[in-house]
C-alpha cells in the first residue's frame, strides 16, 4: 500500500483562562529583567498542527498547551483523562458533527459538549404515551454470560476507520506545565475560605487545608468539563484558521543522557566559564507537601529549605544521604535519596531520553519531565538561538516543548526557583543545575540538526520489565448473593420512568472487579436508544463525559461488588426510549474469568 504523507498546516494563539501559576512566589524569584520580557507568569500560547490528506481532507490535529491535568483532585476515585482527555473527546466528536448547519457549534448541548445521539435516530414515535408503552416492554432481564465481549460491548465510535476513511484523531498534548494549575480561581483554605499563605500555600501552617478551586467549584467534574472545553474551543478556532503550511526538512535527533553526574559548563559572572555537576536524584521535603492541586499530609510545607529532625530520622531508616549528596542538592533538604536507593531496583531514573523533532519550521523538544514556565522559556530560547545561528532555519522557526515525553523524571525548575524549594523545586531530581544540563544537551542536538551530523545514542537505560513488582493484591474471586447473577440489577430504574434533559439516571448492577478485564477497545457501560420496535443502538459509552461508571466493594473483605452507572442526560439528547447496559468479567475460585452483561429496564427521555 502506497503511503502519502498528509499536508501539515499550523497556527498558534493565546488561551487566557485555562491555567494559572500555582507557585507564584517561586516564579517571582526569577530575575526581574527576565520576567519583564513576558506578559504573563504562565505560558498562554497554544500551538496546533492540522493534518490534511489529499484524499480524505482533515484527518487529525495535535496541539500543545501548558496546564496540568489536575482538575480532578485526589479525592476522585474514577479513572479519568482529566481536562486534556475531555478536550480531546470533545474535539473528535465535534469533527464528526461539524458539517451540521453553517456553524461549527450547532448541535452542541447547552453544556457546550458535542452530541451524537441526535444523528442516530430518525424514526421516533411522536407521542409520550407510545414511548412509555415501548419502554414498558423492556424490563430488566437477568444478567447473563457473554461469550464474546468484543461483539457485545459495542463502543459508540466503533473502529478507527469508518466507511474506509480514517477516523479523525485529536491530541491535546502537554507542554511546560510544571507550575501551571487548571484551578484558575486560586487557592483557598477549606476551613476559613480565605486565600492560602502566598509563600507556603498553607492555612494556619497546614498544607492539608489549602486547595485550588477550578471554574466549576465546588464540582470538580464541572471544572474538568470547563477547562477541557476552553482548550477544545481554542483548538477549534486555530484548526479553522490554520493555513500556513509547514515546509522544509523532516528530521530528528535522539540520545540518552546520564543526568546523575553530568558535567555542565556555565558562564561565570566575571567572565570565563566554570564546570558544575548534576547530582544523583533526590526528593526534597517540600515534595511531600504536595501542591494546591493535591496537598500532602503531616507537617510538610512548600518552601521548606531546612527539613525537620523527626522526618530526617525516618528518612535515615531507608537511606542516609552522604555529605557529598547533601552539598550537591543544596539548598534542598533531602527527604528521599532516591538516586542512591537501589532495591529492588532504582527508585529514580538516572539515564533519560532527550529528543528534537523537526517538521519544517516547527521544532519540538521532547522532554522527560515537567518544566516550569520559565524553565521552558529558557530552554526554548536557548535552542532557538542555536537553530537561527546557522543551517536553513530563519527567524520564523517556532519551538514548542512536548512535556512528559518518552519517560518521566519529575520536575525541572530554574536555578532561582530551585532556591525557593516549593513543590516543583523539591521535585527537581538532579539538583540546582538540572535545567542548565538540559539546555546544554539540547543545544548539542540542535547543533547536530543544523550540521546534519549524527549523535551518539548514549548509555542505554536498564530494562526493568522482568523486575517489576506490584503491591496491588490480585483478585481472588468474585461472588454474588445466592440466587443473583452477575449483571443483575440491584437498584433498577423504576417502571414507567420518564426523564428530562439534564436529569441524572442511575442504576446499580451486581458486578465483579474491573481488573479482571480492562475492556480495552470495548466498554464497561453503555446507553442505548431504541430504534423501531426492537433494535438497540449505542448512544453513549464510558468514553463520554456524561456517563460515569463507579465500581465499589461495600465490604472490604467480601467477594461481592457492585457497579453504579450514572447518566447525566445531555441537553441535545433526542426524545426516545433508552436503557443502560453494563459489561464485565468475573473471576471464579479456580481462576477462570467469565464475561457477563446486564441491562436496566427501559425508560423514556422527553
Amino acid at each position: 500500500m502506497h503511503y502519502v504523507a498528509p499536508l501539515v498546516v499550523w497556527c498558534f494563539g493565546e488561551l487566557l483562562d485555562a491555567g494559572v501559576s500555582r507557585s507564584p512566589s517561586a516564579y517571582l524569584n526569577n530575575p526581574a529583567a527576565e520576567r519583564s520580557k513576558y506578559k504573563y507568569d504562565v505560558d498562554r500560547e497554544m500551538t496546533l498542527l492540522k493534518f490534511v490528506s489529499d484524499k480524505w481532507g482533515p484527518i487529525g490535529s495535535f496541539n500543545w498547551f501548558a496546564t496540568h491535568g489536575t482538575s480532578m483532585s485526589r479525592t476522585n476515585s474514577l479513572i479519568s483523562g482529566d481536562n486534556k482527555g475531555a478536550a480531546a473527546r470533545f474535539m473528535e466528536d465535534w469533527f464528526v458533527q461539524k458539517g451540521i448547519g453553517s456553524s461549527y457549534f450547532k448541535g452542541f448541548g447547552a453544556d457546550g459538549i458535542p452530541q451524537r445521539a441526535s444523528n442516530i435516530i430518525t424514526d421516533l414515535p411522536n407521542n409520550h404515551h407510545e414511548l412509555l408503552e415501548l419502554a414498558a416492554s423492556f424490563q430488566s432481564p437477568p444478567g447473563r454470560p457473554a461469550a464474546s465481549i468484543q461483539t457485545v460491548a459495542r463502543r459508540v465510535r466503533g473502529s478507527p476507520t469508518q466507511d474506509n476513511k480514517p477516523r479523525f484523531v485529536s491530541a491535546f498534548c502537554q507542554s511546560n506545565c510544571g507550575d501551571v494549575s487548571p484551578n484558575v480561581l486560586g487557592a483557598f483554605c477549606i476551613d476559613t475560605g480565605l486565600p492560602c499563605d502566598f509563600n507556603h500555600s498553607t492555612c494556619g501552617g497546614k498544607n492539608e487545608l489549602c486547595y485550588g478551586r477550578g471554574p466549576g467549584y465546588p464540582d470538580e467534574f464541572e471544572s474538568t468539563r470547563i477547562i477541557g472545553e476552553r482548550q477544545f474551543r481554542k483548538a477549534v478556532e486555530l484548526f479553522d484558521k490554520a493555513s500556513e503550511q509547514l515546509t522544509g526538512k523532516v528530521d530528528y535527533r535522539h540520545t540518552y543522557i546520564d543526568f546523575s553526574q553530568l558535567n555542565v559548563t556555565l558562564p561565570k559572572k566575571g567572565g570565563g566559564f566554570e564546570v558544575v555537576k548534576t547530582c544523583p536524584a533526590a526528593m526534597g521535603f517540600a515534595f511531600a507537601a504536595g501542591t494546591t492541586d493535591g496537598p500532602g499530609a503531616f507537617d510538610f510545607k512548600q518552601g521548606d529549605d531546612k527539613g525537620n529532625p523527626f522526618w530526617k530520622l525516618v528518612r535515615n531508616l531507608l537511606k542516609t544521604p552522604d555529605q557529598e549528596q547533601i552539598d550537591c542538592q543544596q539548598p534542598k533538604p533531602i527527604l528521599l535519596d532516591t538516586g542512591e536507593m537501589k532495591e529492588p531496583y532504582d527508585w529514580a531514573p538516572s539515564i533519560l531520553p532527550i529528543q528534537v523533532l523537526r517538521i519544517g519550521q516547527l521544532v519540538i523538544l521532547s522532554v522527560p519531565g515537567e518544566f516550569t514556565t520559565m524553565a521552558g522559556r529558557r530552554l526554548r530560547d536557548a535552542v532557538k538561538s542555536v537553530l537561527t545561528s546557522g543551517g536553513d532555519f530563519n527567524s520564523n522557526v517556532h519551538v514548542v516543548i512536548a512535556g512528559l515525553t518518552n519517560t518521566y523524571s519529575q520536575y525541572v525548575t530554574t536555578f532561582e526557583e530551585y532556591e525557593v524549594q516549593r513543590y516543583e523545586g523539591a521535585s527537581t531530581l538532579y539538583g540546582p543545575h538540572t535545567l542548565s544540563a538540559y539546555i546544554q544537551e539540547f543545544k548539542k542536538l540542535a547543533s547536530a540538526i543544523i550540521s546534519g551530523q549524527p549523535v551518539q545514542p548514549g548509555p542505554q537505560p536498564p530494562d526493568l520489565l522482568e523486575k517489576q513488582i506490584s503491591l496491588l493484591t490480585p483478585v481472588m474471586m468474585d461472588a454474588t448473593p445466592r440466587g443473583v447473577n452477575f449483571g443483575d440489577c440491584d437498584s433498577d430504574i423504576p417502571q414507567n420512568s420518564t426523564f428530562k434533559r439534564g436529569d441524572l439516571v442511575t442504576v446499580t448492577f451486581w458486578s465483579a472487579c474491573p481488573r479482571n478485564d480492562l475492556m480495552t477497545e470495548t466498554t464497561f457501560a453503555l446507553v442505548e436508544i431504541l430504534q423501531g420496535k426492537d433494535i438497540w443502538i449505542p448512544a453513549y459509552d464510558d468514553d463520554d463525559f456524561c456517563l460515569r461508571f463507579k465500581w465499589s466493594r461495600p465490604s472490604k473483605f467480601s467477594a461481592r461488588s457492585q457497579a453504579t452507572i450514572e447518566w447525566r442526560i445531555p441537553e441535545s439528547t433526542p426524545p426516545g426510549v433508552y436503557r443502560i447496559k453494563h459489561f464485565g468479567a468475573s473471576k471464579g475460585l479456580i481462576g477462570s474469568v467469565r464475561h457477563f452483561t446486564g441491562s436496566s429496564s427501559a425508560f423514556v427521555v422527553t
Side-chain angles (χ1 to χ4, degrees):
M1 178 178 176
H2 180 64
Y3 173 75
V4 179
L7 170 73
V8 183
V9 293
W10 70 309
C11 191
F12 55 89
E14 283 190 344
L15 173 57
L16 300 179
D17 55 359
V20 296
S21 177
R22 69 183 189 189
S23 288
S25 60
Y27 181 86
L28 288 173
N29 207 45
N30 292 306
E34 181 180 34
R35 288 185 280 111
S36 68
K37 296 191 299 182
Y38 303 99
K39 187 175 180 181
Y40 306 109
D41 61 358
V42 296
D43 279 346
R44 300 190 184 276
E45 184 176 87
M46 176 182 284
T47 299
L48 179 135
L49 300 186
K50 177 180 179 179
F51 300 93
V52 184
S53 163
D54 288 341
K55 182 177 182 180
W56 302 114
I59 57 174
S61 69
F62 276 49
N63 71 72
W64 290 266
F65 179 75
T67 193
H68 257 90
T70 48
S71 292
M72 295 284 194
S73 75
R74 67 179 186 179
T75 61
N76 170 55
S77 60
L78 304 181
I79 296 173
S80 167
D82 212 275
N83 59 65
K84 292 286 185 179
R89 168 51 52 232
F90 297 162
M91 189 158 185
E92 290 178 5
D93 287 344
W94 160 80
F95 183 81
V96 173
Q97 295 186 74
K98 79 185 184 78
I100 304 172
S102 59
S103 169
Y104 280 164
F105 294 99
K106 183 177 179 182
F108 281 26
D111 52 9
I113 299 176
Q115 309 300 337
R116 299 170 313 284
S118 57
N119 300 327
I120 296 173
I121 300 300
T122 56
D123 56 342
L124 291 168
N126 56 14
N127 66 80
H128 184 224
H129 179 72
E130 188 176 350
L131 291 175
L132 281 175
E133 285 188 343
L134 272 173
S137 64
F138 293 97
Q139 297 304 302
S140 174
R144 59 183 178 84
S148 176
I149 206 69
Q150 284 73 23
T151 59
V152 176
R154 294 180 298 160
R155 296 195 69 83
V156 169
R157 294 161 189 83
S159 68
T161 59
Q162 190 174 37
D163 300 327
N164 294 320
K165 178 180 179 179
R167 189 175 293 275
F168 183 85
V169 175
S170 181
F172 282 71
C173 306
Q174 196 54 276
S175 191
N176 52 320
C177 68
D179 55 352
V180 187
S181 169
N183 296 309
V184 295
L185 299 186
F188 295 87
C189 299
I190 60 175
D191 56 343
T192 65
L194 298 174
C196 304
D197 172 79
F198 182 77
N199 289 315
H200 303 290
S201 295
T202 55
C203 301
K206 296 183 179 297
N207 67 78
E208 302 97 317
L209 301 178
C210 177
Y211 276 87
R213 292 181 181 177
Y217 175 82
D219 185 344
E220 63 186 31
F221 287 93
E222 182 65 3
S223 292
T224 304
R225 184 192 68 78
I226 293 171
I227 296 297
E229 185 186 346
R230 288 174 180 175
Q231 293 176 78
F232 148 64
R233 288 186 179 273
K234 174 55 68 172
V236 167
E237 176 190 324
L238 298 178
F239 185 91
D240 193 29
K241 293 194 311 185
S243 58
E244 181 181 354
Q245 184 176 349
L246 291 178
T247 59
K249 296 179 181 178
V250 176
D251 204 353
Y252 81 96
R253 294 294 184 275
H254 176 286
T255 189
Y256 288 100
I257 303 292
D258 187 344
F259 274 79
S260 65
Q261 292 190 30
L262 182 65
N263 289 328
V264 182
T265 303
L266 299 178
K268 297 171 67 174
K269 287 185 178 180
F273 295 89
E274 64 175 336
V275 176
V276 297
K277 273 192 171 185
T278 57
C279 322
M283 308 292 284
F285 273 68
F287 152 76
T291 72
T292 55
D293 293 337
F298 304 111
D299 53 351
F300 297 100
K301 66 179 180 181
Q302 295 194 68
D304 183 0
D305 59 1
K306 298 291 189 296
N308 70 60
F310 172 76
W311 289 111
K312 287 182 179 179
L313 179 63
V314 174
R315 170 201 68 190
N316 292 344
L317 296 175
L318 295 171
K319 172 67 172 68
T320 303
D322 59 28
Q323 191 60 47
E324 182 180 1
Q325 173 75 322
I326 291 172
D327 293 341
C328 186
Q329 291 281 351
Q330 283 289 347
K332 177 198 293 178
I334 297 172
L335 177 64
L336 292 172
D337 191 13
T338 52
E340 299 181 316
M341 298 166 72
K342 304 294 185 181
E343 297 297 333
Y345 41 76
D346 289 359
W347 282 42
S350 58
I351 299 172
L352 302 177
I354 62 171
Q355 183 178 34
V356 175
L357 303 170
R358 178 189 181 179
I359 310 173
Q361 61 268 40
L362 176 70
V363 173
I364 303 166
L365 310 181
S366 301
V367 299
E370 301 183 65
F371 278 56
T372 61
T373 299
M374 194 63 85
R377 289 168 175 170
R378 290 185 188 178
L379 178 62
R380 288 199 307 260
D381 289 347
V383 170
K384 186 173 182 178
S385 68
V386 172
L387 296 175
T388 55
S389 65
D392 61 339
F393 288 96
N394 55 42
S395 59
N396 191 38
V397 63
H398 188 76
V399 181
V400 298
I401 287 178
L404 297 83
T405 306
N406 296 328
T407 192
Y408 183 66
S409 60
Q410 299 292 335
Y411 286 72
V412 179
T413 64
T414 67
F415 181 88
E416 295 83 359
E417 291 166 349
Y418 186 90
E419 290 182 309
V420 176
Q421 280 298 296
R422 283 183 64 94
Y423 174 85
E424 294 83 13
S427 302
T428 297
L429 293 181
Y430 308 104
H433 303 296
T434 299
L435 174 60
S436 296
Y438 273 104
I439 290 174
Q440 171 181 281
E441 299 305 316
F442 266 101
K443 288 173 72 174
K444 292 178 182 178
L445 295 188
S447 296
I449 287 274
I450 290 176
S451 64
Q453 296 299 310
V455 296
Q456 294 298 316
Q460 293 299 299
D463 185 348
L464 302 176
L465 287 178
E466 300 301 322
K467 299 182 179 181
Q468 295 298 302
I469 62 171
S470 174
L471 302 180
L472 187 65
T473 56
V475 181
M476 300 304 296
M477 66 170 293
D478 297 287
T480 59
R482 185 182 299 273
V484 173
N485 299 321
F486 289 105
D488 281 1
C489 283
D490 181 55
S491 176
D492 196 10
I493 297 166
Q495 191 172 354
N496 297 322
S497 290
T498 298
F499 297 93
K500 303 186 297 297
R501 297 172 183 89
D503 287 348
L504 182 67
V505 184
T506 302
V507 59
T508 300
F509 296 91
W510 286 104
S511 189
C513 182
R515 287 192 283 126
N516 293 326
D517 187 333
L518 300 182
M519 297 294 176
T520 305
E521 302 300 330
T522 55
T523 182
F524 286 104
L526 192 66
V527 175
E528 295 180 321
I529 185 171
L530 181 65
Q531 183 176 39
K533 300 294 184 181
D534 58 2
I535 299 175
W536 291 96
I537 297 177
Y540 301 92
D541 61 28
D542 61 13
D543 197 25
D544 282 286
F545 201 81
C546 62
L547 191 66
R548 300 176 192 171
F549 169 74
K550 299 179 176 180
W551 179 79
S552 64
R553 193 186 295 279
S555 177
K556 184 176 182 180
F557 298 104
S558 172
R560 299 176 183 177
S561 63
Q562 294 181 325
T564 298
I565 299 173
E566 299 176 348
W567 181 40
R568 179 70 68 179
I569 304 173
E571 292 295 330
S572 63
T573 301
V577 176
Y578 292 82
R579 69 180 182 184
I580 294 176
K581 298 200 71 175
H582 169 41
F583 306 92
S586 63
K587 186 174 183 180
L589 186 60
I590 60 173
S592 61
V593 173
R594 298 180 179 180
H595 290 92
F596 64 86
T597 181
S599 175
S600 73
S601 295
F603 54 94
V604 173
V605 174
T606 59

